[in-house]
Amino acid sequence: MTGPPAGTPCWDPAELPPHPQLHGVVTADVAVVGAGLAGLSCAYHLAERAPGLDIAVVDAEHPAAGASGRGTGLLGPRAGPAVDRAVHRFGPQTARRMHRASERAVHNVLDLCARLDVPCGLRTGEQLMATRSSAGLVALARQARACRQLGLDVPVLTASGIRDRVGVPFRAALLHRPAATLDPAALTCALARACADKGVRFYGRSPLLALRPGDLVGPELVLPYGRLHAGHAVLAVNSAARALDLPVGTILPLEVYAVATEPLSAPAYEALGGHAGHSVVDAVPMAPYFRLLPDRGLVAGGGTATFPAGLGAPRLQSLRERAWVRLESWLRSLHPDLARVRVTHRWSGRIGMTGDDLPVVGPVHGVPDVWYIGGCCGHGLALSVAHGAHVAAALLGEPEPGEPLPWHRSRAPRLPVSGPAGPLLRAYVDVLGRVARRAC
């Protein structure tokens, strides 16, 4: 056992709807397992489009307890592999549709924030995919060429164009928009309250133990102190699919890290783009990134990832401490005024990765009336909301027009994660992290 992620995010606790533990035998038209953004988006869109539907949301803890409440709040239009690799794998037409879908996903989150009228520190701005390394320049050049060929609005910024926005000596960048930053826990909790207002029932501290065909219509969900019989079930459980032995391929759990600081000095805040709400993501995979908070604090994430399966608690905590120290060191390199800034929060979260960088959103093979959502590969803030809406539409018989996107599928590739392959996979993830840190 590796236990839950560690540390305390910088987001303030938000009000939650009542979520008693599930006891006895309960029924629902639709059971949603997982009270993160994906599950709550599905429940919200179902309740909005079909007001008479009986919907129950079940979570092992409570809404926003998982990745949706422990993220860093970057909202940007990217999904799946880099656009040049998407062209190579799927062809230009599909690669363009993939990027357009990710742009719509960002707009959908912005629309949802406006609809919920939630004070989540939302700041619309630009997201810079920038680099200070030769490897990053090569990656950006390939992506820029692909974006031009596809007619996508992703401009290239030179060093001077970057300096006009962010006072860090990056060599080049791609400018992604629409983009924004926000408090992910506040948004998730507001979505939970909106679901409750529409009649959705919540059950907390009720982890799913097993899933089996029910004696009634649809699946039976086995919980510690009861059973839930549903017409349909949506499992928005991300990498917990492995523990449930779901046939959805490998959704690899990776632990990622973040830190937040006290308010910066006014000059440092302005120099790092605080006036415009920019966020900066390094072009090298797994490299660190940063964003600024409305209260003038800074959040940094990335730089290190850990495959936690099979690690004992002391070893995992040691790796966490090392990751946080590296992040602190990196953020202090961004501006001279950050040399002595105090880090006030350190935390980790779990994301779901797949072997081909694509999410999994579809019906579970061999298990009637059950859908799965997971594996957003680090782009979950926008994609989770979109995936929940997609599954809700499918359950209501309102499929999206056109060909399905590559991640509208029932399983990811299988990866060897147990036995002797586990340490090898962990070593591979560590190597990627070291490469990213050297590039920065």
Side-chain angles (χ1 to χ4, degrees):
M1 285 292 292
T2 57
T8 303
C10 61
W11 322 117
D12 292 329
E15 179 187 354
L16 292 173
H19 47 279
Q21 200 170 45
L22 189 148
H23 285 263
V25 178
V26 176
T27 62
D29 294 325
V30 180
V32 177
V33 181
L37 282 171
L40 293 174
S41 172
C42 183
Y44 177 83
H45 286 94
L46 283 171
E48 187 174 61
R49 299 180 189 184
L53 210 60
D54 182 20
I55 305 165
V57 174
V58 182
D59 195 87
E61 296 183 54
H62 56 77
S68 295
R70 302 183 70 85
T72 51
L74 268 67
L75 180 65
R78 290 181 293 133
V83 64
D84 57 309
R85 290 193 287 124
V87 170
H88 178 74
R89 286 169 54 184
F90 307 111
Q93 183 176 357
T94 299
R96 189 174 189 275
R97 287 185 61 241
M98 289 169 63
H99 187 81
R100 292 294 195 201
S102 74
E103 291 179 329
R104 288 195 302 274
V106 173
H107 283 299
N108 289 343
V109 174
L110 296 176
D111 292 344
L112 184 63
C113 290
R115 201 179 317 150
L116 299 179
D117 191 25
V118 52
C120 62
L122 176 67
R123 302 182 73 201
T124 56
E126 299 170 334
Q127 188 175 102
L128 282 67
M129 180 180 284
T131 187
R132 292 189 273 188
S133 72
S134 298
L137 282 175
V138 172
L140 286 184
R142 290 172 177 163
Q143 293 180 49
R145 187 182 308 114
C147 288
R148 286 195 301 271
Q149 292 171 349
L150 297 178
L152 300 176
D153 180 24
V154 184
V156 175
L157 295 179
T158 62
S160 61
I162 297 169
R163 282 196 302 272
D164 291 340
R165 293 167 169 82
V166 180
V168 179
F170 291 104
R171 298 167 67 180
L174 295 182
L175 188 65
H176 286 281
R177 55 195 179 202
T181 58
L182 54 85
D183 175 341
L187 174 60
T188 307
C189 294
L191 191 54
R193 295 193 300 271
C195 287
D197 289 343
K198 293 180 180 294
V200 174
R201 291 174 289 134
F202 283 84
Y203 298 98
R205 295 173 292 117
S206 301
L208 179 61
L209 302 180
L211 181 75
R212 59 197 184 199
D215 296 328
L216 303 174
V217 176
E220 180 186 35
L221 284 66
V222 181
L223 307 160
Y225 301 103
R227 302 287 189 272
L228 174 53
H229 295 272
H232 298 271
V234 178
L235 308 181
V237 296
N238 212 6
S239 60
R242 183 182 174 206
L244 295 169
D245 199 27
L246 295 177
V248 295
T250 301
I251 313 298
L252 189 70
L254 288 186
E255 184 161 297
V256 292
Y257 306 94
V259 298
T261 74
E262 65 183 347
L264 310 184
S265 68
Y269 189 72
E270 290 302 310
L272 294 173
H275 59 286
H278 301 310
S279 57
V280 180
V281 180
D282 199 286
V284 177
M286 289 181 59
Y289 59 85
F290 75 89
R291 58 157 294 198
L292 295 163
L293 299 170
D295 69 355
R296 297 217 321 250
L298 180 148
V299 170
T304 304
T306 302
F307 176 44
L311 291 177
R315 175 60 175 158
L316 184 55
Q317 187 59 31
S318 174
L319 292 173
R320 289 166 174 162
E321 295 290 342
R322 189 181 305 172
W324 287 323
V325 168
R326 288 168 176 162
L327 262 182
E328 292 180 28
S329 176
W330 177 81
L331 76 84
R332 296 184 196 285
S333 73
L334 295 174
H335 189 275
D337 284 7
L338 300 185
R340 292 180 177 82
V341 69
R342 184 170 60 92
V343 169
T344 56
H345 297 79
R346 310 188 309 172
W347 70 98
S348 66
R350 300 276 171 86
I351 61 173
M353 300 293 295
T354 63
D356 58 3
D357 298 322
L358 292 172
V360 179
V361 185
V364 178
H365 280 163
V367 189
D369 303 314
V370 177
W371 285 64
Y372 170 80
I373 304 172
C376 286
C377 301
H379 303 297
L381 184 50
L383 292 184
S384 292
V385 173
H387 293 163
H390 169 79
V391 172
L395 290 176
L396 295 175
E398 302 170 1
E400 297 174 1
E403 292 295 319
L405 290 164
W407 56 79
H408 293 164
R409 57 184 183 162
S410 294
R411 63 188 310 142
R414 291 193 64 84
L415 297 174
V417 297
S418 57
L424 293 176
L425 186 58
R426 185 173 298 110
Y428 173 69
V429 173
D430 291 343
V431 168
L432 291 180
R434 285 197 294 272
V435 170
R437 291 192 293 275
R438 283 199 297 268
C440 292

